[in-house]
Amino acid sequence: MAREDLFKKELIAELRRVEVSMRKEASIEKKIYYFSAAYGVTSRTLRYNFKDDYLLADCVLNTCYNGLMDRFKRIRSGDATVELQPVHFERIQDGLKMLADAFESDDSILIPLEQILTTMYSVTGPGNYLREKGLLKL
């Protein structure tokens, strides 16, 4: 097996592990913690086997982790204007599964990344406002 195939195989396995771990966890904080492993594996993968798709996935997943952490910290500090709801994590988990599937089948990764990014955007102030107006649907 080629070196590139080993890195790709590990990337896919880790994305699937993250998705399953998030689904099993009830705690929002732990779900976000597990989600951090998704950009961790893309970051490692692109350093050893650079591909544009790995870089794109890493940027989106890192941005989404930071956005979720920002919202979580705001909630913990008393800002209840935008809640983290089960639907947010369901959509992210589904997006991670689709991302692993896309990497495995060499399909486009844009739809899974769009789903994950849109979900994270919906927990920001502007994104939540668009969701309340019905323009952003999850």
Side-chain angles (χ1 to χ4, degrees):
M1 182 179 290
R3 180 181 127 153
E4 293 81 18
D5 292 338
L6 289 173
F7 287 114
K8 180 179 173 182
K9 183 179 176 183
E10 179 57 29
L11 169 68
I12 293 163
E14 187 67 13
L15 289 173
R16 294 194 190 289
R17 193 174 302 116
V18 168
E19 180 240 337
V20 168
S21 296
M22 288 178 70
R23 286 192 194 278
K24 289 180 179 178
E25 184 56 54
S27 160
I28 289 174
E29 187 171 19
K30 286 284 289 225
K31 282 180 181 288
I32 296 170
Y33 165 75
Y34 286 128
F35 182 62
S36 72
Y39 80 82
V41 72
T42 55
S43 179
R44 285 189 305 276
T45 302
L46 72 89
R47 287 189 207 133
Y48 293 107
N49 184 36
F50 182 83
K51 290 187 178 182
D52 292 339
D53 280 354
Y54 298 159
L55 178 60
L56 178 60
D58 185 61
C59 288
V60 170
L61 295 173
N62 193 333
T63 298
C64 290
Y65 167 77
N66 288 325
L68 288 172
M69 275 305 292
D70 179 65
R71 177 52 50 200
F72 181 73
K73 288 176 184 176
R74 288 172 185 262
I75 290 168
R76 284 181 58 189
S77 71
D79 178 355
T81 56
V82 180
E83 297 177 7
L84 288 171
Q85 302 169 339
V87 68
H88 295 120
F89 293 99
E90 290 163 17
R91 297 271 301 168
I92 289 170
Q93 292 156 183
D94 291 346
L96 287 171
K97 182 182 183 319
M98 291 176 3
L99 183 60
D101 291 345
F103 277 129
E104 189 169 55
S105 62
D106 291 320
D107 288 337
S108 173
I109 62 169
L110 290 182
I111 290 174
L113 291 179
E114 287 172 357
Q115 178 167 314
I116 294 167
L117 185 59
T118 300
T119 303
M120 185 283 300
Y121 183 68
S122 75
V123 304
T124 67
N128 186 66
Y129 181 71
L130 291 173
R131 186 172 174 220
E132 288 178 1
K133 286 176 39 174
L135 297 175
L136 189 158
K137 295 180 181 13
L138 295 181

